[in-house]
Amino acid sequence: MAVCASFKAFIAVLAVVSLILAVVSPSVEAQSPAPAPAPTSDGTSVDQGIAYLLMLVALVLTYLIHPLDASSYTFF
């Protein structure tokens, strides 16, 4: 019977601890997170950088294709 009594005491303590954790746990999770930092750019500088890169690619392709196009013509 002594084993049974200590087991019941263990279960009772476990139940009390579980109840306390169940009550305290939601309040721990209810803390609001820190606000996000302000963005360092609004995205327009990234868009402008992409636009400049695409214009550079177009310029390079134009100068690579133009000599090939000009060499296909023969003038008599």
Side-chain angles (χ1 to χ4, degrees), residues 4-72:
C4 188
S6 65
F7 183 70
K8 285 182 181 180
F10 174 73
I11 294 296
V13 169
L14 188 64
V16 170
V17 170
S18 310
L19 185 64
I20 291 172
L21 286 177
V23 170
V24 174
S25 176
S27 66
V28 171
E29 295 176 5
Q31 294 176 355
S32 61
T40 56
S41 69
D42 56 355
T44 55
S45 58
V46 174
D47 292 343
Q48 189 175 10
I50 292 172
Y52 279 124
L53 182 67
L54 290 174
M55 288 193 311
L56 182 65
V57 168
L59 184 66
V60 168
L61 286 176
T62 299
Y63 281 109
L64 286 176
I65 293 172
H66 183 69
L68 297 175
D69 188 33
S71 64
S72 63

